[in-house]
Amino acid sequence: MTVAEQVASRAGLADLLDLTKPRLSLLVVLSCAVGMALAPVSPPGWGRAIAAIAATGAVVGGANALNCYRERESDKWMRRTRNRPLPSGRLDPTTALAFGLTLALGGIAVLLWLKPLSGALATLAVATYVLVYTPMKRTSSLCTLVGAVPGAIPPLIGWTAAGGGLDPGAWALFAWMFLWQPPHFLALATLYREDYAAAGMPMFPVKHVDDGTVERQTALWIAALVPIPVLLVPLSRAGTITAVATPLLGLAWFLVAWRGRKTGATTAWARSTFIASILYMGLTLLAFVLDAGSS
């Protein structure tokens, strides 16, 4: 089957979609939309908003596809990833590379047209994620902190695309998204510790087993995160719902993670902490949206 035939087939299209990591991309795109909603400026028109969100989705999906392209060999060693389109051999690497570049560059071009600052932020996110974070995963556990930077940029893209600048509210939103990622990933990396070890990736939970460090680090990151959404109340369109709900949500996640000081970083602890991180993110985004909609 030629490259064109592969892409045109239903299975080929499904594999291309899989490269974008749809669930992860959806979460990031939602954070972009929330950044747009929270910016303390007049709401953009529907056309501009949809274009910015769609372009951000293309950038995120393209960056994920390029990440899959660069990690196609190491993915073969991980049970979680060995059946992805590239390590399984279902998709040609050249096709994946072209697809990822087209999505990322196309999305950046649209964002540059809408707002140069938004396009510049998208360019920084892709470059950091693909060229720094991805190769760093094979050399240092600090890659998690590096990867949190591009992961926290999409809300800034939405904020600036709406007409806001890089003011304190934008940076508070960036800090919130940044701080959420380390404890989320520590739980995930604990769940798949053996996979990362087999792939030769020295993630923090791979290097620290049964010494209590992973559990303490996770709880400390969450504790640092808890007050950040409240800062958005005077700095953005966030309001009462954010002020009341988000500290409670953060405390609930912290208590789930804090149990690790007694149980250790077990699979059960990692799973419950990971699920709590997803619930915290989703419900906090909902609180932001409800506040923005009522302001």
mmCIF file of all heavy atoms in Angstrom, residues 29-51:
data_model
loop_
_atom_site.group_PDB
_atom_site.id
_atom_site.type_symbol
_atom_site.label_atom_id
_atom_site.label_comp_id
_atom_site.label_asym_id
_atom_site.label_seq_id
_atom_site.Cartn_x
_atom_site.Cartn_y
_atom_site.Cartn_z
ATOM 1 N N VAL A 29 -6.693 21.550 24.717
ATOM 2 C CA VAL A 29 -7.534 22.495 23.977
ATOM 3 C C VAL A 29 -8.565 23.139 24.912
ATOM 4 O O VAL A 29 -8.854 24.344 24.800
ATOM 5 C CB VAL A 29 -8.220 21.782 22.794
ATOM 6 C CG1 VAL A 29 -9.299 22.666 22.179
ATOM 7 C CG2 VAL A 29 -7.185 21.413 21.732
ATOM 8 N N LEU A 30 -9.098 22.363 25.830
ATOM 9 C CA LEU A 30 -10.036 22.928 26.808
ATOM 10 C C LEU A 30 -9.356 23.998 27.655
ATOM 11 O O LEU A 30 -9.961 25.034 27.968
ATOM 12 C CB LEU A 30 -10.593 21.825 27.708
ATOM 13 C CG LEU A 30 -11.629 20.884 27.086
ATOM 14 C CD1 LEU A 30 -11.980 19.767 28.055
ATOM 15 C CD2 LEU A 30 -12.878 21.653 26.690
ATOM 16 N N SER A 31 -8.106 23.764 28.015
ATOM 17 C CA SER A 31 -7.391 24.768 28.808
ATOM 18 C C SER A 31 -7.174 26.039 28.003
ATOM 19 O O SER A 31 -7.191 27.149 28.553
ATOM 20 C CB SER A 31 -6.056 24.212 29.304
ATOM 21 O OG SER A 31 -5.098 24.108 28.261
ATOM 22 N N CYS A 32 -6.982 25.908 26.694
ATOM 23 C CA CYS A 32 -6.868 27.075 25.820
ATOM 24 C C CYS A 32 -8.185 27.853 25.813
ATOM 25 O O CYS A 32 -8.196 29.084 25.938
ATOM 26 C CB CYS A 32 -6.499 26.641 24.407
ATOM 27 S SG CYS A 32 -6.666 27.935 23.155
ATOM 28 N N ALA A 33 -9.293 27.140 25.665
ATOM 29 C CA ALA A 33 -10.606 27.784 25.647
ATOM 30 C C ALA A 33 -10.889 28.486 26.965
ATOM 31 O O ALA A 33 -11.465 29.588 26.994
ATOM 32 C CB ALA A 33 -11.688 26.746 25.351
ATOM 33 N N VAL A 34 -10.483 27.871 28.078
ATOM 34 C CA VAL A 34 -10.692 28.487 29.391
ATOM 35 C C VAL A 34 -9.841 29.749 29.528
ATOM 36 O O VAL A 34 -10.291 30.765 30.081
ATOM 37 C CB VAL A 34 -10.373 27.475 30.506
ATOM 38 C CG1 VAL A 34 -10.251 28.171 31.848
ATOM 39 C CG2 VAL A 34 -11.460 26.415 30.572
ATOM 40 N N GLY A 35 -8.601 29.699 29.014
ATOM 41 C CA GLY A 35 -7.774 30.900 29.025
ATOM 42 C C GLY A 35 -8.429 32.039 28.271
ATOM 43 O O GLY A 35 -8.405 33.197 28.702
ATOM 44 N N MET A 36 -9.066 31.710 27.170
ATOM 45 C CA MET A 36 -9.779 32.712 26.382
ATOM 46 C C MET A 36 -10.977 33.264 27.161
ATOM 47 O O MET A 36 -11.242 34.467 27.144
ATOM 48 C CB MET A 36 -10.241 32.082 25.061
ATOM 49 C CG MET A 36 -10.831 33.051 24.065
ATOM 50 S SD MET A 36 -11.225 32.228 22.483
ATOM 51 C CE MET A 36 -9.581 31.809 21.921
ATOM 52 N N ALA A 37 -11.671 32.385 27.871
ATOM 53 C CA ALA A 37 -12.858 32.809 28.620
ATOM 54 C C ALA A 37 -12.507 33.655 29.837
ATOM 55 O O ALA A 37 -13.262 34.551 30.217
ATOM 56 C CB ALA A 37 -13.657 31.579 29.052
ATOM 57 N N LEU A 38 -11.361 33.383 30.461
ATOM 58 C CA LEU A 38 -10.996 34.078 31.690
ATOM 59 C C LEU A 38 -10.347 35.434 31.449
ATOM 60 O O LEU A 38 -10.312 36.273 32.357
ATOM 61 C CB LEU A 38 -10.040 33.215 32.526
ATOM 62 C CG LEU A 38 -10.640 32.000 33.237
ATOM 63 C CD1 LEU A 38 -9.550 31.263 33.998
ATOM 64 C CD2 LEU A 38 -11.758 32.410 34.186
ATOM 65 N N ALA A 39 -9.817 35.655 30.268
ATOM 66 C CA ALA A 39 -9.133 36.920 29.998
ATOM 67 C C ALA A 39 -10.071 38.096 30.267
ATOM 68 O O ALA A 39 -11.205 38.115 29.783
ATOM 69 C CB ALA A 39 -8.642 36.958 28.560
ATOM 70 N N PRO A 40 -9.627 39.076 31.038
ATOM 71 C CA PRO A 40 -10.502 40.205 31.413
ATOM 72 C C PRO A 40 -10.621 41.247 30.311
ATOM 73 O O PRO A 40 -10.322 42.420 30.489
ATOM 74 C CB PRO A 40 -9.792 40.770 32.648
ATOM 75 C CG PRO A 40 -8.351 40.477 32.394
ATOM 76 C CD PRO A 40 -8.316 39.153 31.674
ATOM 77 N N VAL A 41 -11.082 40.801 29.162
ATOM 78 C CA VAL A 41 -11.272 41.668 28.000
ATOM 79 C C VAL A 41 -12.632 41.348 27.394
ATOM 80 O O VAL A 41 -13.285 40.373 27.780
ATOM 81 C CB VAL A 41 -10.160 41.440 26.943
ATOM 82 C CG1 VAL A 41 -8.801 41.848 27.497
ATOM 83 C CG2 VAL A 41 -10.142 39.984 26.479
ATOM 84 N N SER A 42 -13.048 42.133 26.433
ATOM 85 C CA SER A 42 -14.301 41.838 25.746
ATOM 86 C C SER A 42 -14.169 40.508 25.024
ATOM 87 O O SER A 42 -13.160 40.267 24.347
ATOM 88 C CB SER A 42 -14.626 42.946 24.746
ATOM 89 O OG SER A 42 -14.796 44.184 25.403
ATOM 90 N N PRO A 43 -15.159 39.601 25.157
ATOM 91 C CA PRO A 43 -15.062 38.295 24.516
ATOM 92 C C PRO A 43 -14.874 38.421 23.006
ATOM 93 O O PRO A 43 -15.503 39.274 22.365
ATOM 94 C CB PRO A 43 -16.414 37.633 24.844
ATOM 95 C CG PRO A 43 -16.900 38.355 26.060
ATOM 96 C CD PRO A 43 -16.411 39.762 25.912
ATOM 97 N N PRO A 44 -13.988 37.593 22.422
ATOM 98 C CA PRO A 44 -13.805 37.644 20.970
ATOM 99 C C PRO A 44 -15.035 37.115 20.253
ATOM 100 O O PRO A 44 -15.855 36.401 20.843
ATOM 101 C CB PRO A 44 -12.596 36.723 20.750
ATOM 102 C CG PRO A 44 -12.657 35.753 21.889
ATOM 103 C CD PRO A 44 -13.181 36.540 23.059
ATOM 104 N N GLY A 45 -15.171 37.451 18.986
ATOM 105 C CA GLY A 45 -16.278 36.909 18.213
ATOM 106 C C GLY A 45 -16.155 35.409 18.059
ATOM 107 O O GLY A 45 -15.075 34.831 18.216
ATOM 108 N N TRP A 46 -17.293 34.767 17.747
ATOM 109 C CA TRP A 46 -17.285 33.314 17.630
ATOM 110 C C TRP A 46 -16.293 32.827 16.575
ATOM 111 O O TRP A 46 -15.617 31.824 16.766
ATOM 112 C CB TRP A 46 -18.691 32.821 17.294
ATOM 113 C CG TRP A 46 -19.576 32.747 18.490
ATOM 114 C CD1 TRP A 46 -20.603 33.597 18.813
ATOM 115 C CD2 TRP A 46 -19.521 31.794 19.550
ATOM 116 N NE1 TRP A 46 -21.183 33.243 20.011
ATOM 117 C CE2 TRP A 46 -20.548 32.126 20.487
ATOM 118 C CE3 TRP A 46 -18.704 30.698 19.811
ATOM 119 C CZ2 TRP A 46 -20.762 31.398 21.652
ATOM 120 C CZ3 TRP A 46 -18.920 29.958 20.975
ATOM 121 C CH2 TRP A 46 -19.947 30.320 21.875
ATOM 122 N N GLY A 47 -16.200 33.549 15.465
ATOM 123 C CA GLY A 47 -15.289 33.126 14.405
ATOM 124 C C GLY A 47 -13.853 33.115 14.876
ATOM 125 O O GLY A 47 -13.114 32.144 14.642
ATOM 126 N N ARG A 48 -13.446 34.161 15.552
ATOM 127 C CA ARG A 48 -12.078 34.263 16.056
ATOM 128 C C ARG A 48 -11.819 33.212 17.131
ATOM 129 O O ARG A 48 -10.749 32.589 17.160
ATOM 130 C CB ARG A 48 -11.845 35.658 16.622
ATOM 131 C CG ARG A 48 -10.418 35.921 17.083
ATOM 132 C CD ARG A 48 -10.291 37.309 17.708
ATOM 133 N NE ARG A 48 -8.915 37.597 18.076
ATOM 134 C CZ ARG A 48 -8.027 38.131 17.261
ATOM 135 N NH1 ARG A 48 -8.377 38.443 16.017
ATOM 136 N NH2 ARG A 48 -6.796 38.364 17.666
ATOM 137 N N ALA A 49 -12.800 33.010 18.003
ATOM 138 C CA ALA A 49 -12.628 32.039 19.080
ATOM 139 C C ALA A 49 -12.486 30.625 18.519
ATOM 140 O O ALA A 49 -11.590 29.877 18.927
ATOM 141 C CB ALA A 49 -13.822 32.112 20.034
ATOM 142 N N ILE A 50 -13.348 30.264 17.594
ATOM 143 C CA ILE A 50 -13.284 28.913 17.011
ATOM 144 C C ILE A 50 -11.980 28.718 16.255
ATOM 145 O O ILE A 50 -11.347 27.649 16.337
ATOM 146 C CB ILE A 50 -14.502 28.675 16.092
ATOM 147 C CG1 ILE A 50 -15.782 28.608 16.934
ATOM 148 C CG2 ILE A 50 -14.329 27.395 15.278
ATOM 149 C CD1 ILE A 50 -17.052 28.578 16.111
ATOM 150 N N ALA A 51 -11.554 29.746 15.514
ATOM 151 C CA ALA A 51 -10.301 29.638 14.768
ATOM 152 C C ALA A 51 -9.121 29.443 15.709
ATOM 153 O O ALA A 51 -8.233 28.607 15.450
ATOM 154 C CB ALA A 51 -10.097 30.888 13.912
#
